[in-house]
């Protein structure tokens, strides 16, 4: 950049003094640059360091996932639960003791409006990225060069680190996500990493902007650069939508109006990448081809994800005609949706629903609460939805205005999400649902009890299953679900269903208070009891409000020490979590 930019900008004053500072000729500047240990050409290595960090984290996570999958496959063929605590069990217990904990609800409620909190594992990954970028930017203290002698090293380091995060920022946001497949998670869990990497990208872009602004002010000044140097105004033009993207994505704003957020988020992404391209286009074929590679890689990743998503959606909706959805408003106020389809899915997955006659520009994800019956049959895809603001509230009002069930055309996008059939490889499973979180838990529970009934044809070693469901009230809809589950229970099986009613009569509770209002301690006691009663490998899956996820996560994390010290009867306790929203 300096070679092209400065030769053109300072020819009129080269070899003279400007505001008391000597303006070198191009030859003098090159001689000065090459006398330094950190030249402009060598600054590209900071981008490589950023890519090495991201790639190393993905590689290590992929190795853990491979080992976990191999262990799952091997355990399915074992005849009995292992009693000895192996080295692998100890390693998993240590990593889960570190990675599972969450901030207490009393603290987290002040953080969640501004940050999508997760467990300690995600926090430590993002903290490592923050420390890495900070040290590489600021540990070497030659931040600026003399006026007119080239771009400041601080601005160049932060520039390359910001560019290196771009491809990862895009791939972490995609629904069809190759990284998610490699590390064994689903796209919605990747949103925490997407937002974290976006924060790192903003952090480095901000440092770059400040450093370059200080350089301008020490030389000819911002008014002159704004008029005569397009690199400055295009940089600020790209930075403005980046600021919007980061701050408008804070949970307090995103949840206040998700549809508004999504529309302007897409527009801001287009504006940001458009101005960023203009900002660097003249250097795409310049002396540093790495700028070209980062931009091309980012656009390639983005285009590939969009083509796959649109192509898959067209395939799902056109191969057998537009789907129809039966929408029913239940007495509890929840919404039941049923769609008949030839699609196949696995327990724990979700789809995005788009109703052309109800807010057609929007699609929203919902957990599938049923499991398919067979490959050659027409399957019923069921959803249980607790209406909130926006789209679900519009759907509820349409049902109320019609006074009857609705039969609506619907476009399906999916299924997406990580399959939870891995629960079959554990000896025991505890499933915990809070309120409408049963929509996610229900197919997992049904899958496990069906495996108990047809174990000859389906590989499963999970013989002990317990479902805990915390509900505000035990209404007719809850009773209907419980009766349906009871009818499916195999005879003489070790399956238990427990229901906690958290709302006293004539008292209204917010959904976020489900865990804290009476069953929090019961959940912790139940998990502790299972660690003392159940042998072998135990899996715990929870879906509910953040308070419930926090209670269960912290309880499971603390029990890892009991496993290591052999105070627990089980040899492993594995946790899966799923929140109401992202």
């Amino acid at each position: 950049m300096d070679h092209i930019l400065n030769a053109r900008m300072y020819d009129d004053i080269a070899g003279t003094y400007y505001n008391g500072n000597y303006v070198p000729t191009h030859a003098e500047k090159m001689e000065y640059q090459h006398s330094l240990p950190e030249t402009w050409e060598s600054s590209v290595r900071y981008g490589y360091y950023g890519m090495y960090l991201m790639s190393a984290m993905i590689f290590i996570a992929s190795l853990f996932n491979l080992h976990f999958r191999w262990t799952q496959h091997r355990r399915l063929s074992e005849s009995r639960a292992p009693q000895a605590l192996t080295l692998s069990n100890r390693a998993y217990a240590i990593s889960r003791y570190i990675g599972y904990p969450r901030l207490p609800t009393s603290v987290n409620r002040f953080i969640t409006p501004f940050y999508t909190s997760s467990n300690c594992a995600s926090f430590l990954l993002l903290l490592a990225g923050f420390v890495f970028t900070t040290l590489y930017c600021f540990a070497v203290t030659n931040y600026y060069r003399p006026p007119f002698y080239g771009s400041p090293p601080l601005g160049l380091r932060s520039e390359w680190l910001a560019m290196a995060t771009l491809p990862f920022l895009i791939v972490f946001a995609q629904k069809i996500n190759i990284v998610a497949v490699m590390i064994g998670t689903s796209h919605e869990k990747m949103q925490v990493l997407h937002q974290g990497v976006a924060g790192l990208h903003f952090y480095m872009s901000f440092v770059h902007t400040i450093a370059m602004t200080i350089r301008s002010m020490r030389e000819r000044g911002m008014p002159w650069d704004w008029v005569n140097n397009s690199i400055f105004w295009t940089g600020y033009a790209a930075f403005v939508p980046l600021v919007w993207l980061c701050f408008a994505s804070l949970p307090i704003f995103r949840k206040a109006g998700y549809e508004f957020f999504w529309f302007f988020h897409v527009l801001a992404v287009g504006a940001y990448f458009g101005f960023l391209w203009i900002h660097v286009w003249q250097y795409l074929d310049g002396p540093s081809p790495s700028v070209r590679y980062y931009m091309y890689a980012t656009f390639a990743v983005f285009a590939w994800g969009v083509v796959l998503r649109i192509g898959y959606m067209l395939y799902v909706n056109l191969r057998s005609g537009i789907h129809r959805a039966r929408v029913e408003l239940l007495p509890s106020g929840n919404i039941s949706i049923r769609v008949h389809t030839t699609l196949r899915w696995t327990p724990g997955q979700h789809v995005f629903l788009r109703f052309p006659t109800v807010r057609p520009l929007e699609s929203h994800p919902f957990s599938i609460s049923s499991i398919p019956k067979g490959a050659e049959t027409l399957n019923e895809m069921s959803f249980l939805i607790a209406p909130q603001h926006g789209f679900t509230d519009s759907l509820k009002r349409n049902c109320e205005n019609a006074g009857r069930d609705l039969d609506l055309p619907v476009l399906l996008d999916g299924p997406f999400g990580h399959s939870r059939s891995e629960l079959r490889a554990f000896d025991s499973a505890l499933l915990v649902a809070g309120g409408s979180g049963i929509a996610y838990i229900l197919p997992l529970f049904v899958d496990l009890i069906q495996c108990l009934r047809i174990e000859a044809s389906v590989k499963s070693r999970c013989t002990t299953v317990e479902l805990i469901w915390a509900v505000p009230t035990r209404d007719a809809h809850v009773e209907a679900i419980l009766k349906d589950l009871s009818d499916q229970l195999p005879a003489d099986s070790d399956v238990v269903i427990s229901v906690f009613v958290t709302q006293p009569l004539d008292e209204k509770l917010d959904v976020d208070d489900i865990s804290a209002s009476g069953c929090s301690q019961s959940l912790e006691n139940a998990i502790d009891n299972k660690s003392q009663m159940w042998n072998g490998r135990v899996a715990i899956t929870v879906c509910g409000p953040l308070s419930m996820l926090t209670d269960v996560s912290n309880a499971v994390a603390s029990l890892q020490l009991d496993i290591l010290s052999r105070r627990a009867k089980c040899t492993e306790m594995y946790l899966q979590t799923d929140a109401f929203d992202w």
Side-chain angles (χ1 to χ4, degrees):
M1 186 193 317
D2 287 358
H3 299 69
I4 301 172
L5 192 63
N6 289 288
R8 184 179 70 245
M9 285 173 54
Y10 303 130
D11 280 347
D12 59 326
I13 57 173
T16 65
Y17 284 85
Y18 187 89
N19 287 339
N21 296 305
Y22 178 70
V23 182
T25 64
H26 182 65
E28 290 172 330
K29 185 180 298 181
M30 291 301 97
E31 182 181 356
Y32 171 79
Q33 285 267 354
H34 288 98
S35 69
L36 300 174
E38 187 175 350
T39 64
W40 178 78
E41 291 90 344
S42 66
S43 64
V44 68
R45 70 181 187 271
Y46 290 98
Y48 299 153
Y49 297 155
M51 295 198 69
Y52 296 157
L53 174 69
M54 297 283 189
S55 301
M57 288 182 173
I58 294 173
F59 178 72
I60 294 171
S62 299
L63 291 181
F64 272 99
N65 180 49
L66 283 174
H67 181 267
F68 182 76
R69 300 298 162 201
W70 175 77
T71 302
Q72 297 291 91
H73 178 75
R74 183 170 56 86
R75 291 289 171 83
L76 282 172
S77 60
E78 292 180 349
S79 58
R80 62 186 182 87
Q83 302 299 319
L85 194 66
T86 65
L87 179 62
S88 176
N89 294 142
R90 294 181 185 275
Y92 276 122
I94 293 172
S95 62
R96 289 164 182 167
Y97 175 72
I98 297 171
Y100 279 170
R102 294 171 178 257
L103 288 174
T105 304
S106 57
V107 176
N108 206 21
R109 67 177 62 205
F110 298 105
I111 297 175
T112 50
F114 309 101
Y115 173 69
T116 304
S117 62
S118 185
N119 55 29
C120 278
S122 298
F123 173 77
L124 290 174
L125 280 175
L126 298 176
L127 179 63
F130 175 79
V131 171
F132 177 91
T133 52
T134 300
L135 289 177
Y136 265 109
C137 257
F138 296 101
V140 181
T141 56
N142 60 320
Y143 301 147
Y144 295 93
R145 296 188 175 111
F148 301 105
Y149 276 86
S151 296
L154 180 62
L156 294 174
R157 298 169 199 158
S158 54
E159 168 192 293
W160 289 115
L161 286 167
M163 293 297 292
T165 61
L166 273 180
F168 299 96
L169 177 60
I170 296 299
V171 75
F172 288 168
Q174 293 179 330
K175 301 297 182 290
I176 302 178
N177 196 315
I178 183 62
V179 175
V181 174
M182 292 171 61
I183 67 177
T185 188
S186 57
H187 73 90
E188 71 273 13
K189 297 294 180 67
M190 297 292 292
Q191 291 303 306
V192 174
L193 297 181
H194 167 66
Q195 295 166 19
V197 172
L200 292 178
H201 181 73
F202 173 79
Y203 171 39
M204 289 293 98
S205 299
F206 180 72
V207 172
H208 171 72
T209 302
I210 296 299
M212 292 303 186
T213 301
I214 291 174
R215 176 209 175 175
S216 174
M217 294 170 64
R218 294 173 68 197
E219 296 179 351
R220 283 195 158 183
M222 283 297 296
W224 188 92
D225 279 319
W226 194 267
V227 173
N228 296 279
N229 185 2
S230 64
I231 202 75
F232 275 85
W233 74 261
T234 56
Y236 276 98
F239 190 66
V240 168
L242 180 61
V243 171
W244 165 268
L245 285 167
C246 292
F247 283 90
S249 298
L250 295 177
I252 190 172
F253 302 123
R254 186 176 71 244
K255 293 181 180 180
Y258 180 81
E259 291 80 8
F260 175 86
F261 153 78
W262 182 87
F263 179 75
F264 283 97
H265 192 79
V266 172
L267 289 182
V269 168
Y272 175 62
F273 280 110
F275 281 117
L276 184 62
W277 178 273
I278 298 172
H279 183 58
V280 303
W281 74 270
Q282 54 190 318
Y283 310 113
L284 293 181
D285 294 309
S288 180
S290 292
V291 177
R292 178 169 71 247
Y293 297 154
Y294 289 130
M295 292 299 295
Y296 290 167
T298 300
F299 287 128
V301 168
F302 178 78
W304 177 249
V306 170
V307 169
L308 282 181
R309 179 90 183 272
I310 294 177
Y312 184 54
M313 185 169 59
L314 291 174
Y315 169 75
V316 166
N317 290 281
L318 296 181
R319 66 169 183 168
S320 55
I322 300 297
H323 294 86
R324 307 289 300 187
R326 190 73 172 176
V327 183
E328 176 186 1
L329 183 61
L330 302 173
S332 62
N334 290 334
I335 298 172
S336 170
I337 299 178
R338 300 187 301 275
V339 180
H340 289 91
T341 178
T342 56
L343 279 179
R344 295 278 295 166
W345 65 94
T346 55
Q349 290 192 303
H350 61 270
V351 298
F352 285 74
L353 299 182
R354 183 190 304 272
F355 289 89
T357 58
V358 183
R359 304 176 79 153
L361 297 181
E362 301 174 17
S363 66
H364 295 265
F366 298 103
S367 296
I368 306 172
S369 60
S370 58
I371 59 176
K373 291 181 169 55
E376 304 299 329
T377 61
L378 196 64
N379 296 300
E380 183 176 88
M381 185 180 282
S382 302
F383 307 89
L384 178 64
I385 302 170
Q388 304 293 324
H389 301 293
F391 168 74
T392 52
D393 184 58
S394 296
L395 199 59
K396 178 181 179 180
R397 283 189 279 105
N398 276 337
C399 291
E400 291 173 339
N401 294 336
R404 56 180 176 79
D405 296 351
L406 299 177
D407 184 58
L408 302 175
V410 63
L411 299 178
L412 304 182
D413 186 9
F416 297 113
H418 184 53
S419 171
R420 304 304 181 187
S421 57
E422 61 199 30
L423 294 178
R424 299 175 183 177
F426 289 86
D427 302 293
S428 308
L430 174 64
L431 310 179
V432 182
S436 61
I438 193 67
Y440 173 82
I441 294 295
L442 196 60
L444 305 179
F445 181 75
V446 172
D447 178 69
L448 290 176
I449 61 177
Q450 284 192 358
C451 288
L452 291 175
R453 301 174 64 175
I454 54 173
E455 185 143 8
S457 59
V458 179
K459 280 191 174 182
S460 176
R461 63 173 299 111
C462 189
T463 57
T464 304
V465 184
E466 181 167 341
L467 169 64
I468 297 178
W469 186 10
V471 293
T473 58
R474 191 159 175 166
D475 55 25
H477 180 61
V478 172
E479 294 294 347
I481 292 177
L482 294 176
K483 183 179 184 305
D484 182 60
L485 292 178
S486 299
D487 292 342
Q488 297 184 58
L489 295 182
D492 302 323
S493 63
D494 194 2
V495 179
V496 177
I497 301 175
S498 303
V499 177
F500 287 89
V501 180
T502 62
Q503 178 179 331
L505 293 176
D506 301 324
E507 180 181 338
K508 186 176 181 180
L509 276 178
D510 186 78
V511 70
D512 287 330
D513 295 326
I514 284 180
S515 182
S517 63
C519 73
S520 173
Q521 193 62 43
S522 300
L523 282 176
E524 295 174 10
N525 291 337
I527 293 170
D528 183 65
N529 290 338
K530 302 316 170 194
S531 73
Q532 303 298 326
M533 295 169 52
W534 288 347
N535 290 315
R537 305 174 73 228
V538 176
I540 298 179
T541 299
V542 56
C543 180
L546 182 59
S547 56
M548 175 176 281
L549 266 61
T550 299
D551 293 334
V552 173
S553 297
N554 291 339
V556 174
S558 64
L559 285 173
Q560 304 300 322
L561 292 179
D562 290 349
I563 293 174
L564 288 169
S565 61
R566 297 311 309 267
R567 293 195 300 269
K569 194 172 183 180
C570 61
T571 57
E572 182 180 349
M573 185 169 283
Y574 169 67
L575 175 66
Q576 296 174 340
T577 62
D578 193 80
F580 280 148
D581 52 25
W582 304 340

